[in-house]
Amino acid sequence: MSHTWDPQRYLTYADERGRPFVELLARVRAEGPRTVVDLGCGPGNLTALLARRWPGVRITGLDSSAEMVEAATREVEGVRFERRDLREWLEAGGEPVDVLVSNATLQWVPGHLDLLPAMLARVAPGGWLALQVPGNVGEPSHTLRTELAAQAPYAEHTRGAAVPASHDPATYLDALARLGAEVDAWETTYLHVLTGEDPVFTWVSGTGARPTLQSLPDDLRPGFEDELRRRLREAYPPGPAGVVLPFRRVFVVAHKPGAVA
């Protein structure tokens, strides 16, 4: 079931969503790379950080969303953006890159663990593969949506809507180590302090819940949203600091053996 992304809604919590990318990039020890590719670049705000770290380097951002690529091309200078599915890019082959980054994207690709060999193959000897995926699918921010979507009258419409999925750090470490890479894998649970009306709903409606919401017809969507808002308010009540959203993320940085050509 197809869906589209809204760059502005996605950027509502840009600072909170961007922090894991910065921490992922800090563990990539590439010096003077010639080519860098960002798989699943979104609106390009984080791809711009790659250009700041490695000025003058050929950097390409790829995303399957026309809306995201349009926003990135409009807002970010010095980076080439293309609308392209990452599986298509991997299958096409081509010149290996020195740094391959995939941030908060692979969770939308079913069976993405099977893509790791192809991803590492697209990295030049001595190069780096860095990925980050959300690891919070067991939290109420996801489970409440899943439970509600399985109920009538929503189930017949939401069946087949895309849902994110990921693995534990050890699973990624094992898979990439078996391919001969030196792997650094870890996880972090952030405590995002959110403000505003129904902030957790605002967060999930721009990412994990968006395909489900878009799968619903116009006459059912408002009722679904109202009920999901209510359930999320109960699960995430405001405290002294605001509404706290725990968010676990999984990080992997793999260094491919060999000298940089």
Side-chain angles (χ1 to χ4, degrees):
M1 184 180 297
S2 62
H3 58 274
T4 60
W5 296 105
D6 182 344
Q8 289 306 117
R9 174 57 69 94
Y10 182 82
L11 290 170
T12 301
Y13 293 108
D15 289 344
E16 289 86 352
R17 297 191 199 279
R19 182 177 170 187
F21 184 88
V22 173
E23 296 181 6
L24 176 71
L25 197 60
R27 306 286 274 269
V28 178
R29 300 190 304 275
E31 300 294 337
R34 296 168 298 178
T35 52
V36 178
V37 170
D38 184 1
L39 289 179
C41 62
N45 58 309
L46 299 178
T47 315
L49 300 181
L50 300 174
R52 289 187 202 172
R53 174 166 176 180
W54 295 297
V57 171
R58 188 175 69 192
I59 298 173
T60 303
L62 305 175
D63 203 285
S64 60
S65 166
E67 295 81 6
M68 289 295 197
V69 171
E70 180 183 358
T73 302
R74 183 175 61 248
E75 299 295 336
V76 182
E77 297 181 356
V79 175
R80 176 185 177 188
F81 293 100
E82 299 178 19
R83 182 187 181 189
R84 200 167 182 186
D85 184 89
L86 68 85
R87 287 162 294 197
E88 174 191 315
W89 182 80
L90 290 172
E91 292 172 1
E95 180 183 355
V97 301
D98 296 320
V99 178
L100 180 58
V101 179
S102 180
N103 181 68
T105 296
L106 290 177
Q107 74 274 10
W108 293 110
V109 182
H112 66 258
L113 202 65
D114 295 334
L115 296 180
L116 294 183
M119 294 179 72
L120 193 62
R122 289 302 308 268
V123 176
W128 298 81
L129 168 63
L131 64 92
Q132 181 270 127
V133 290
N136 65 331
V137 295
E139 294 296 316
S141 55
H142 286 272
T143 59
L144 291 177
R145 179 206 70 236
T146 301
E147 292 167 2
L148 183 58
Q151 298 176 7
Y154 310 119
E156 64 178 296
H157 303 286
T158 59
R159 191 177 299 111
V163 293
S166 62
H167 303 277
D168 289 335
T171 301
Y172 294 106
L173 186 152
D174 182 73
L176 287 165
R178 289 176 183 274
L179 297 171
E182 300 172 0
V183 188
D184 181 10
W186 71 99
E187 65 179 71
T188 297
T189 298
Y190 298 88
L191 298 180
H192 297 302
V193 179
L194 310 180
T195 58
E197 184 177 359
D198 293 326
V200 178
F201 176 83
T202 299
W203 181 293
V204 301
S205 65
T207 51
R210 186 169 176 83
T212 299
L213 296 175
Q214 287 196 318
S215 71
L216 293 167
D218 292 343
D219 61 325
L220 290 180
R221 189 178 305 113
F224 184 96
E225 291 183 346
D226 288 345
E227 179 60 17
L228 183 57
R229 288 175 189 270
R230 185 190 69 77
R231 296 186 184 196
L232 289 171
R233 283 196 297 268
E234 290 185 357
Y236 300 95
V243 174
V244 177
L245 174 65
F247 202 116
R248 175 178 178 253
R249 292 186 181 270
V250 174
F251 301 80
V252 185
V253 173
H255 183 221
K256 188 171 182 175
V260 178

